[in-house]
Every structure is written in structure tokens, then in C-alpha cells.
Amino acid sequence: MHDVLEAGTPRRRRWIGIAVLVGVLAVPAAGLLISGSPEEPARPGPREGGLPAVPPPSVAPPESVPNVLRADARREGEEEVIDVVFPDGTEAEVRYPARLQLGRKGSRPLQGAWSEGESAVFRKLFAPLGGLPLNGRRIRSLTPNVSLWASPSGHLLIYEFGDWRLAFLDRSSDGLTFEQRMEWARSIKGRVTPDGYLVLSARKPVHLSRPGERLGGEPAGPGLLFGGGLRQMVSMVLTPDCPRNGGVPPEVRQNGRGADGTCKGDVFVSASGELPFVKSALKGIKVKLKQ
């Protein structure tokens, strides 16, 4: 998934030539994020280093995990309040109409990342519902906490950080080399906060997208996604000097219902689902970043 990161600096803007690839590649990753059921069966991946792409079937299937954090909400009148932590470690207080039930819906981290070099590689790290790719097959381990999977949409790198499972899609059309996969596997680190949120870091040649950076006109910085599947969804992405046309992330649009977004201070909030839910979310959600 090659793309452009824009943060207002000349170094970012020189990648504008490859931004057009985003629309083609963002949809499959978003479908995995909301656990849509792919129609075509998984296909064996190519051989790497002389090893078979698909190993013999395992006796015990991999165990799935909830891969969502349901925060304890404080009731204050007609509102609920939850404390959240974004993937870059930024803490915030989220206040919302109690009927939205964001705490009960649970949140998952979203984080853009890119690798330096002549051919810039962009990936969006996401937490699939259930922790593992739907109709996926494990191929091999890359590191003690990162494994390579085959899925109907392409290859996936699955990271394990405590109870969390993060993934990014590595499509065959622009897939990483084995050496690049190893770089990505070794470079992304994660820690779990006492409240259960996942905080990420990276070392060269991989970098995490910073608040306000964009992918083809859409927010790519640290974010949280509430809800999933074909139900109501809310996304919050750190976006300093948030523009009104911040762009609804593809993972929010993928549930096939109406979607819209707005700025709440330095956070771009978007929602999808029934129209009353979307209106209530965009009007009633308040996000206060903690210093």
C-alpha cells in the first residue's frame, strides 16, 4: 500500500505522486478491520526462502481473542464519560450521550505507519475483530510475536502484544519482499497500559504516522475505532488544527451505511450507522485531551 503522508513539510509533500493508489488499496484493509466475510477462498501464498507457503494443517486451530477494550463508563446525568489512550500514548476524556454506549461498544486502535527509502511503503495497522483474519491461514512465524498469514485479500502480518492482535494487509499486487517483512516485524513495538490500551512505537526504517498526518486525504494518525461489524461505528483520530473536511476513514464507511465526520477540537470524529445515531454522535461526543 504505497501512499502519501502529508504533515505540511516538504519532505512529506514530495511523495504526492503515489497518492492515487490509496483508493484502490484502502477498501480491502477496511473490510478486514470490520470483519466482513470475504466470498473467495484463501489461496496459498508464494514460496519464500524455499519454505512451503502453506504448512500442513494444525491439529488445534489458533485461538481467537476479543481484540476490543470495553472501558468502564462513569454516568453523569444523561452522559457517560470514559478515559481513553490513543496508540501514541495521548490520553483523553471522552464524554458522550449515554444512549451511544461507546464504552460498551469497546474500542480498538488504528495507526498509520510507513517505511523510509526510495520506494515509500505505507500500511495502516488495525485490530481485526476476533484477533485473527477471517478465513485466514497461518503460514509461519517471523519473530516471537509476529506471524505471516494468508487471507483471501492477500498476506497479513499479525502482531501479538499481550492480549491485542494487530495486523496490516500486504497485498500481492504490491507486496513486501521477505526482507521488508522482517524489517516491519522487528520494528513495531507495543506495550499495554494498566487500563488495557495499546501504545505503539517504532524504530527505523519504520515510522508511525503522527497526529495530523494524512493518507490520500484521509486521517492516518493515531486513532481509536468504537464498534464494528455491520453495526454502528465511531472513529476518533488525533488531528491538530483539524480541518472541517477531515475525511471519513474508509474503515468507518465500510459498513454500508451513512457516514459523516466533524472536528472536536484537535480530534476528528466520524460516525456511521443509522442517521439518528450519526447525528447524535457528531453533536454529542466531546473529546478533551489531557496534557
Side-chain angles (χ1 to χ4, degrees), residues 95-101 234 264 269 271 274-286:
R95 183 180 297 269
Y96 54 91
R99 62 182 175 276
L100 298 182
Q101 298 183 333
V234 170
K264 298 288 183 173
V269 177
E274 303 87 349
L275 184 58
F277 173 83
V278 174
K279 288 185 175 180
S280 181
L282 299 186
K283 180 180 179 180
I285 291 176
K286 307 176 184 70

Side-chain angles (χ1 to χ4, degrees), residues 258-275:
D260 201 359
T262 189
C263 293
K264 298 288 183 173
D266 288 335
V267 179
F268 186 77
V269 177
S270 54
S272 63
E274 303 87 349
L275 184 58

Side-chain angles (χ1 to χ4, degrees), residues 58-65 130-133 136-138 147 149 160 165:
S58 174
V59 175
E63 181 181 358
S64 66
V65 294
L132 299 175
R137 183 187 294 270
R138 188 180 186 277
S147 54
W149 288 67
E160 300 181 23
R165 302 293 183 269

Side-chain angles (χ1 to χ4, degrees), residues 81 139 147 187 194 262:
V81 182
I139 297 175
S147 54
S187 297
T262 189

Side-chain angles (χ1 to χ4, degrees), residues 114-242:
W114 54 278
S115 63
E116 58 191 27
E118 294 184 4
S119 181
V121 176
F122 184 92
R123 295 291 186 269
K124 181 174 280 189
L125 298 164
F126 59 92
L129 283 174
L132 299 175
L134 206 63
N135 297 330
R137 183 187 294 270
R138 188 180 186 277
I139 297 175
R140 59 173 297 182
S141 294
L142 299 179
T143 70
N145 73 310
V146 182
S147 54
L148 180 65
W149 288 67
S151 79
S153 298
H155 287 93
L156 288 161
L157 265 67
I158 303 293
Y159 294 78
E160 300 181 23
F161 301 116
D163 289 335
W164 284 105
R165 302 293 183 269
L166 282 193
F168 71 69
L169 179 63
D170 184 23
R171 289 176 59 89
S172 57
S173 59
D174 67 335
L176 303 178
T177 65
F178 177 76
E179 290 74 18
Q180 287 175 316
R181 286 174 179 170
M182 291 304 300
E183 285 182 344
W184 279 80
R186 295 178 180 130
S187 297
I188 303 293
K189 305 297 179 183
R191 64 176 178 86
V192 180
T193 71
D195 291 333
Y197 288 95
L198 181 61
V199 175
L200 298 172
S201 60
R203 65 184 186 186
K204 291 184 177 181
V206 177
H207 304 264
L208 300 181
S209 301
R210 295 173 298 183
E213 292 186 330
R214 304 178 68 75
L215 161 63
E218 297 169 346
L224 293 172
L225 182 67
F226 294 80
L230 298 178
R231 299 183 295 275
Q232 303 156 338
M233 300 175 70
V234 170
S235 170
M236 301 178 189
V237 182
L238 296 178
T239 312
D241 302 320
C242 181

